[in-house]
Each structure stands twice: as structure tokens, then as C-alpha cells.
Amino acid sequence: MADNGNNTALSNLEYDLLTALQNKAEAVKAYDTYIQDAQQMQSQPCVELFQKLRQADVEQAQEIRQHLQEVMQKGKM
């Protein structure tokens, strides 16, 4: 994406973290649909699985966001 982060708006690392964060956000949104589908089918084990997977992605997204904030402030970690 960028060379050393000096001549562009985003460094490679910032771009990578933003992309990872976007992917996690899309996954969380998808899990909301999966949970609804499982609820409609009255499949509590699947509801619980999708909730567990969604929560893991939420936590990972939060961690990615923290790293991104630090990288954007300091240029690296």
C-alpha cells in the first residue's frame, strides 16, 4: 500500500489493520443474521454457537482497533 508510510496517507500496517477491522465488522454483522436464522429454526445449540463466534469476533475487533489507534498515533507498536 505505501512505502515506509512517509509519502502516503496510510502505511501498509495501518491499511492491514483497517482491512482486518473491516473484515471483523462484516463478520459480526453476518453472525447477527445467522443467530436470527437459528432462532427461527428453534436451534438453541446453533444460536449459542453463533453468539460465541460473534463475541470472539467482537473481542478481536476491539483488539485490532486498539492496535490501529496506537499505530496511527505512534507510527508503529
Side-chain angles (χ1 to χ4, degrees):
M1 173 74 191
D3 57 34
N4 298 335
N6 294 331
N7 297 324
T8 61
L10 293 175
S11 69
N12 286 335
L13 186 54
E14 289 169 325
Y15 179 83
D16 294 345
L17 289 165
L18 279 169
T19 301
L21 184 58
Q22 177 184 2
N23 290 337
K24 290 295 177 184
E26 289 174 359
V28 167
K29 184 177 178 182
Y31 282 125
D32 290 338
T33 300
Y34 304 160
I35 291 166
Q36 289 177 1
D37 291 347
Q39 287 170 335
Q40 288 175 356
M41 295 297 296
Q42 299 178 349
S43 177
Q44 190 59 31
C46 290
V47 169
E48 292 171 7
L49 172 64
F50 290 135
Q51 288 173 334
K52 179 180 175 182
L53 294 171
R54 182 186 183 282
Q55 183 59 35
D57 275 348
V58 166
E59 291 170 7
Q60 291 168 358
Q62 291 169 341
E63 184 175 1
I64 292 167
R65 186 173 180 227
Q66 290 171 353
H67 283 258
L68 177 60
Q69 287 173 325
E70 189 166 339
V71 168
M72 292 183 81
Q73 289 173 353
K74 298 178 182 176
K76 64 179 180 177
M77 284 195 70

